[in-house]
Amino acid sequence: MVAEPLEWRKYDDAELPRVLEAALEAFAQHGYHGTSIRELAATAGLSVPGLYHHYPSKQDILVALLDEVMRDLVQRTAAALEEAGPAPAARFDAWVECLLRFHMFRTKHAFVTSSELRSLEGGNRDQIVALRDQLQAMLDEVVEAGAADGTFATPYPKAASRGVTVLCIGVSSWYRPDGPLSPEDLVHRHLVLARGVVNATE
């Protein structure tokens, strides 16, 4: 049986396990260190022993949440690039649009993943950073390929790639669904800006 292609532009209500959904809400409001296990259990509708049945510790809950969020984003981005085909310009636009839509429609997820990276311990941090680096490497490869074939005129492909990422992730701090920009308007505007960062020639 062939799996259906991932609809990377489509965002329904997030379907997190209830403990992780409770953690997302609590960490967004109070931060990781400001949230107790008892509060997490109550928000999830569980007893403290019931919570520990699912996850051994609060740290395990944080890791599971951030891993779920980052894997979703990596999978969406891979699907966007697959759909775009081989041309660097099309792949660049797809990567940028995918990251923009994630930060428009998953603002809470993006906020917690960014702000609580510092709360991960030891190898847990390495696990999540590896996913973040995997995502960035996708764009690095696209920009480097475009710089090599003349699609992008930037003399600094690696730095330009990082600049595009910063441009996209900043959206989660100010975008509002009831604001003046529709998702399509925002994507259009930011694609113009992002292409400027890499000095797109097309």
Side-chain angles (χ1 to χ4, degrees):
M1 189 173 178
V2 180
E4 289 291 325
L6 177 63
E7 296 183 63
W8 59 271
R9 289 185 176 92
K10 186 177 180 180
Y11 282 89
D12 297 322
D13 290 338
E15 294 184 0
L16 291 170
R18 64 173 172 167
V19 173
L20 299 188
E21 187 64 44
L24 178 66
E25 296 296 329
F27 296 161
Q29 278 195 305
H30 310 296
Y32 174 78
H33 293 292
T35 302
S36 69
I37 281 289
R38 188 173 298 279
E39 289 168 331
L40 277 177
T43 304
L46 296 168
S47 64
V48 171
L51 183 68
Y52 282 132
H53 175 74
H54 295 279
Y55 299 95
S57 69
K58 187 170 73 166
Q59 179 71 191
D60 287 303
I61 294 171
L62 178 63
V63 175
L65 173 61
L66 269 54
D67 186 79
E68 184 98 9
V69 171
M70 286 303 303
R71 286 187 188 280
D72 177 45
L73 178 54
V74 168
Q75 289 168 3
R76 286 176 181 274
T77 306
L81 292 175
E82 177 70 21
E83 182 182 295
R91 292 174 69 79
F92 178 82
D93 285 0
W95 191 100
V96 170
E97 181 181 351
C98 188
L99 196 63
L100 286 171
R101 289 186 181 278
F102 180 84
H103 284 80
M104 279 189 279
F105 299 121
R106 292 284 186 265
T107 54
K108 201 176 295 183
H109 301 65
F111 170 74
V112 171
T113 301
S114 175
S115 63
E116 297 302 344
L117 191 64
R118 63 190 176 186
S119 300
L120 292 168
E121 300 166 0
N124 294 335
R125 186 178 190 281
D126 294 340
Q127 174 184 333
I128 304 305
V129 168
L131 290 169
R132 185 191 65 183
D133 291 348
Q134 181 181 346
L135 182 71
Q136 184 63 52
M138 293 178 184
L139 182 61
D140 290 349
E141 291 170 8
V142 169
V143 175
E144 286 165 3
D149 74 2
T151 300
F152 308 131
T154 176
Y156 310 111
K158 186 80 76 172
S161 179
R162 297 301 193 273
V164 169
T165 301
V166 172
L167 175 69
C168 293
I169 64 178
V171 165
S172 64
S173 67
W174 59 263
Y175 176 77
R176 297 293 178 269
D178 58 352
L181 288 176
S182 71
E184 288 69 29
D185 290 337
L186 188 144
V187 167
H188 174 75
R189 186 173 75 172
H190 276 63
L191 278 174
V192 171
L193 296 173
R195 290 167 187 155
V197 174
V198 295
N199 289 345
T201 59
E202 297 180 4

